[in-house]
Each structure stands twice: as structure tokens, then as C-alpha cells.
Amino acid sequence: MTKALKNFLKKANEDQGLGGVIGLGGSGGTSLISTALKTLPIGVPKVIVSTVASGNTEPYIGTSDLILFPSVVDICGINSVSRVVLSNAGAAVAGMVIGRVSGFRETTRKNEKLTVGITMFGVTTSCVNVVKERLEKEGYETMVFHATGVGGRALEDLVKGGFIQGVLDITTTEVADYVVGGVMACDSSRFDSIIEKKVPLVLSVGALDMVNFGAKHTIPSEFHQRNIYIHNEQVSLMRTTADENKKFAAFIAEKLNKSTSKVHVCLPQSGISALDDLGKPFYDPEATSTLLNELERLVETNEDRQIKAFPYHINDPEFANALVDSFLEISPDISKDFDPRTEEHPRSDQDLCGECISRKDFSGGGTISSTPVDFPEARPETLQRTREILQQLRHQINKGMPIIGAGAGTGISAKFEEAGGVDLIVLYNSGRFRMAGRGSLAGLLPFADANAVVLDMANEVLPVVKEVPVLAGVCGTDPFRRMEYFLKQLESIGFCGVQNFPTVGLFDGNFRQNLEETGMGYNLEVEMIRKAHRMGLLTTPYAFNEDEAISMAEAGADVVVAHMGLTTSGSIGAKTAISLEDSVARVQAIADAAHGVNSSIIVLCHGGPISSPSDAEFVLKRTKEVRGFYGASSLERLPVEQAITSTVKQYKSISIM
């Protein structure tokens, strides 16, 4: 349906028959409609009356100008409230359409100058202010973007859409965060849209002397001995090294060497940020020189691609003017006969802004963009802890390291999973059965109170795990627990988050259908995850198919674990399972479905034939945007079986003759 709507809207816009778009729906409808609406150009009125307008709206809006209108009540017929809300929404979109059509009928001066995008950070503000003032005197329109990861993506979306016809990328600090693992990172596509659209580009190295983190205590332990500058209570900066600067230069040079349009690289030899100056905390001439020298060495110059070095600091007015001079040198050719707003009628999507691409999140390298309203029942300390956990996970992803989660059925299992470097530990009832020599499916049968078992296991495990986040496996279908109170109990004990286990996802056939029909189905697990998310807890649910992945993502899941069924191998492992090759396609389908709702969600694989490190590697190397593996039997039962068997055999091999 989403594809059909995209095609319909695209054709209507190209045929100049689209004045604006309005839709309405719940979470599912909003996801379906917004995916299509985000592909329309900026400026085309687009509104959705939605039940999720007051929650985490980033997955629905991205970097588009889509407006979500709160429905207040559910989308279920007309009543005294919905009548007012829908009337106001209709009037709002009608006003937008009238304003848009009226605006198109106003002609503006011909040969208007280009719009130039500029990147800025606090430590390059002096430079950007001079550049902006001079460009505007020259007749250019300027748009300034804060280089926080989102800023760079917004700039490139507008370049791709045709709103920006030239770029002064003065502050490329997002590259440093991407390479090292900071919280204001770009992704691997940085500079691609600028190069593909062949707009004139002047690039510099502003703030590549720093990597951004949150509050001081959130800085990864491996960086604690580095040169850290506390910008404020919420922002910490780390000075980059010469070796890191070589990597930044390589990333930038690789991109620029693909360009076929005019590019000038301007290098300030006396410092690249306000903190990189004599007497300032990041003053390091050797590290800065390494960055500049590497760029001069790696960027392949030709008639259109040039490098210029200047004996100034980046914030010196002389350098700012040199940047503008370079831009004026390469921009005249494409400004010839430029006349963007003189048509009498609404224009096609190419005329308006081209195809505006919705934000895709990058392999998980940025901060968690959310406000308190997204977590209305969260305690501040719980929400902060979850953010720190996710920041650490994304830091590992940026470094190319997999996320590994493990089930623990005993205290000693958890203790040595932590010693081995595991990232997440989950306690659920099957762990106790598994380590008692019974199959994991015992946890789905009526042998014990699953949620009570987890509470009991907490007394054994939580005291011996020092740093790794421990999550509770929650039976979301438990009819004898008020879930909101049970989740608060888990939070108070010390659990960092939850997973949906035992899960009806492992049931199929008539029995599963009967569970769904009698109100004991998977949707109760989705609602449990939704409640935990609203409390600010980390949520890492299992999903067994695409529909379940979508439901969990819409409920706010931070991590979705693509479940391939009961783990094979070992003395009590399953014998019936899909093949390892087939699991690749199933894992990818689940990942794509989850990312279709929230591009920043982390996806892991689990179960079925994926029972060893080599199996996990096989799947991870053949899937996209799948970031690691979650193991239960494979990280607890199988290692114990193998270790004990091997050790006993060694003892028995001792000769006493």
C-alpha cells in the first residue's frame, strides 16, 4: 500500500494536480502514510492527523516538512472532540494549499542568486558569521546548519532536493564523530549528495580537532585518559589525535576524489577551531598539521579539484574571506540564467525541489533524539541509564564491533559472560530450566510461574554483575499480573530493561491461532514493550516475522531480535530448524521491516541454526544493518556442555599405572 501511495502521489505531483495531502490514522496508518508523504518535495503541504503525534515522531517525519496533527481521541468515528480536531486539521491544510498557490502566482526578480548551505559549530561561529555576511552582500541567500549529525543530513537532503545550489562545508566535525564514535556523527554517505548533484563545494576542516560526547560520565572508558574539555554539563569534547586525523583525511579524500564538479579544499594552517589556538585546551600543532598534510597528500588535484593552504586560523577574517573568494571563483557557471521562482502555476517536483529523500539512520552512530514527552512515565535516572546504554552500543557499532547479548540461567553464567565482554545479559525462566538439563521450551510450559522465576533469579544474578546491563524476560501474557506495576517492580529491583519471554511467537498452527483469538496473543507482548518504553526502560523484544517487527518498532523497541526458532545443537537442542542460508533471508526481512518504522533501531539475530560464532558470522556478513547476535543456549548451555565433557575426558585420560 505504501508503494502504491508513493507512486500515486509522485504522478499527481508531476502532473501538477497535487495541491497538498492530508491523512489520518493510528500508529500503523501513520507509518504507512508518512513513508509516502516524506518522498514529496519540501513545500508541498502534508499533514497527518495521528494518535502518535505527541510521541517519538522522528521515525515518521525524518528531515521532511511533514506535520503531525494530534488527534486527541482515537481515530474511531465522529464525536464532539474528533469533529473539532478534524475540522481544524482540514482548515489548516486548506490554508497551506491556498498560501502555496498564491505564492506561485507572485513573480520575483529574474536571475536571482543561488542559495548556499553553510555548516557551523560554536567553535567556528566567527568564521561563518563573516562568510554569511559577505555572501549576502554578494546577493546570495544563505542557510546555516549546525554540524550535529542531523544538520549535515538536512543540508544534503536539501541539496538533493534542489533547494541549495552551492555549499561551503566549513565545519566537517561530524566526520570525526563518525570515525571515532562520538554522539554527533554523520554516516557513511556524508558528502555523497553534494558530489552527486555536482554543486560547487568549498570544504574546510572546522572542528575536526574534537569528538563530541554527552555528560562527562558518558564518555567511554577507553577515552578517560585523553584530553577532555567539559563544554558544559551535557557536552564533553575530546581532542583528536594525529592517527585519528589521518583517518578523517582518508574518509574526506576518498569522497572528494570521486567528484567530477568544482571542489576547492581550503586549509587554515594556524588552527581549526576556537579551541585549537595558542593557549587553548586543544592547541596541538602536530595533530593539526597531520590532518592538513594528509589531505594535501591524499586529495587528487586537477583543474576542478584544488587544495589551498592559508597561514591563518579558521576564525581569522582573512581566512573567511578566502573561503568566499574560492566559492565565487567556482560558482558563476551554474548561476547563469538561474531563475527559481517565476512560474505562474504550481510546478512539478523537479521544479520545486526534486525528490526529497527521507532520513535513513545511520547504522546507529548518533544520539537518541527524544524529549520527556516520549517517555511520560519515565524516571529521569532510568531514562538517562537507557540513553547511556544505547550510546555505548552505537559506539561499538561505529567501531565495527558486533553487539552480543546473552541469556543467563545462573549467577556464574552471568559472571563469566560479563568477564568475556558481553554487552547485554537477559534473565528469563528458560535459563533456569536449561541449566537444569531441560530443554528451553520448558519455559513455555506450565511448570512454574515464569515472572516469579525471574524475580527469584534476580537475587542470584544481579549482585554478581558489576557493569553489564541486565534485562528481565517478561511473560507479557501473564493474566495474573498488572503489567505496569510488575514493570515498576523490575525497575526497582535493578533491571535495566525487558525482553518478551516466554513468548507466544514460538507457537504456531491452530494453538497459536487460538491464543490470538482468545486474547492471549502476541499483541499483549507488544503492549508490555510499549509500557516499558514509556517508562524509559531498555526494550529488546523478539520478533519472529516482519509484522511482529513492525509492531515492536512502533511500540518503541530500542533493539529488535530476529528470532529463528529454538536453538539447534547440543544434547537438548532442537533437531528441526530452517537452514542457516534460509535464516539470512528471514533475518534481513525482519531487519528491513523494523527499519522501515525506525531507521535507528538496532537489530540482532538469534536462535535456530545460529548456534556458534561461525554461524553468527555467516549471517552477519550476509545481511545489512544487522548489528550482532543474541545467544542463550549458544552462550550458556552449549559452552557448559562442551567444557564439562572435555574436562572430564581429560581427567579420565590420566594414567595411574
Side-chain angles (χ1 to χ4, degrees), residues 358-381:
S358 64
R359 174 182 173 188
K360 273 287 189 189
D361 171 30
F362 34 80
S363 356
T367 55
I368 305 159
S369 178
S370 53
T371 63
V373 73
D374 300 315
F375 307 94
E377 299 162 26
R379 297 168 59 200
E381 57 270 31

Side-chain angles (χ1 to χ4, degrees), residues 59-127:
Y60 304 109
I61 296 174
T63 56
S64 74
D65 62 342
L66 169 65
I67 296 173
L68 293 184
F69 207 99
S71 65
V72 183
V73 295
D74 208 346
I75 308 296
C76 187
I78 300 297
N79 53 51
S80 59
V81 174
S82 63
R83 182 178 291 107
V84 172
V85 171
L86 294 174
S87 295
N88 286 343
V93 78
M96 294 179 205
V97 172
I98 292 170
R100 180 170 180 252
V101 173
S102 299
F104 287 142
R105 291 173 178 166
E106 297 176 5
T107 59
T108 58
R109 67 186 185 281
K110 289 190 178 273
N111 299 319
E112 185 171 353
K113 286 283 187 177
L114 310 180
T115 297
V116 181
I118 308 171
T119 52
M120 183 179 80
F121 224 34
V123 291
T124 60
T125 299
S126 298
C127 173

Side-chain angles (χ1 to χ4, degrees), residues 18 59 71 88 121 174 267 318 372 403 412 419 424 434 445 461 494 547 552 584 606 619 628:
L18 186 66
S71 65
N88 286 343
F121 224 34
E174 294 168 336
L267 305 177
E318 294 87 348
I403 303 303
I412 196 165
L424 300 169
R434 184 167 52 237
L445 297 174
V461 173
D547 290 340
M552 285 299 188
V584 171
H606 167 78
V619 174

Side-chain angles (χ1 to χ4, degrees), residues 7 16 123 160 174 214 265 303 404 423 428 496 498 549 608:
N7 291 334
Q16 299 184 2
V123 291
K160 196 159 190 174
E174 294 168 336
V265 180
E303 183 177 352
I404 304 298
D423 300 299
Y428 51 72
C496 296
V498 297

Side-chain angles (χ1 to χ4, degrees), residues 230-293:
I230 306 302
H231 182 62
N232 57 46
E233 289 186 1
Q234 301 303 321
V235 177
S236 306
L237 309 175
M238 179 179 76
R239 203 344 170 159
T240 57
T241 65
D243 287 340
E244 288 166 346
N245 286 345
K246 289 180 180 179
K247 295 177 182 179
F248 309 159
F251 179 94
I252 293 170
E254 182 183 8
K255 294 302 182 81
L256 298 187
N257 289 340
K258 297 176 182 177
S259 69
T260 57
S261 54
K262 295 184 182 296
V263 175
H264 281 188
V265 180
C266 297
L267 305 177
Q269 295 175 319
S270 298
I272 58 178
S273 83
L275 297 180
D276 180 24
D277 203 354
L278 187 63
K280 299 296 184 180
F282 283 178
Y283 183 61
D284 187 343
E286 179 183 354
T288 299
S289 296
T290 298
L291 173 65
L292 307 189
N293 293 340

Side-chain angles (χ1 to χ4, degrees), residues 4-23:
L5 182 57
K6 283 183 183 178
N7 291 334
F8 172 78
L9 293 176
K10 184 174 185 292
K11 187 176 187 304
N13 194 49
E14 289 173 347
D15 294 343
Q16 299 184 2
L18 186 66
V21 186
I22 185 169

Side-chain angles (χ1 to χ4, degrees), residues 1 86 169 173 182 189 202 320 328 366 369 403 415 428 468 548 574 609 616:
M1 288 180 68
L86 294 174
D169 212 343
T173 185
S189 69
V202 173
L328 295 177
S369 178
I403 303 303
K415 185 173 183 177
Y428 51 72
V468 174
E548 291 173 359

Side-chain angles (χ1 to χ4, degrees), residues 383-424:
L383 186 56
Q384 179 63 27
R385 180 176 59 189
T386 297
R387 287 172 165 164
E388 290 172 3
I389 294 169
L390 288 170
Q391 179 180 309
Q392 179 62 26
L393 296 181
R394 291 191 169 92
H395 173 65
Q396 289 196 187
I397 290 169
N398 289 338
K399 293 173 64 177
M401 298 170 61
I403 303 303
I404 304 298
T410 66
I412 196 165
S413 298
K415 185 173 183 177
F416 286 96
E417 286 168 351
E418 180 174 42
V422 79
D423 300 299
L424 300 169

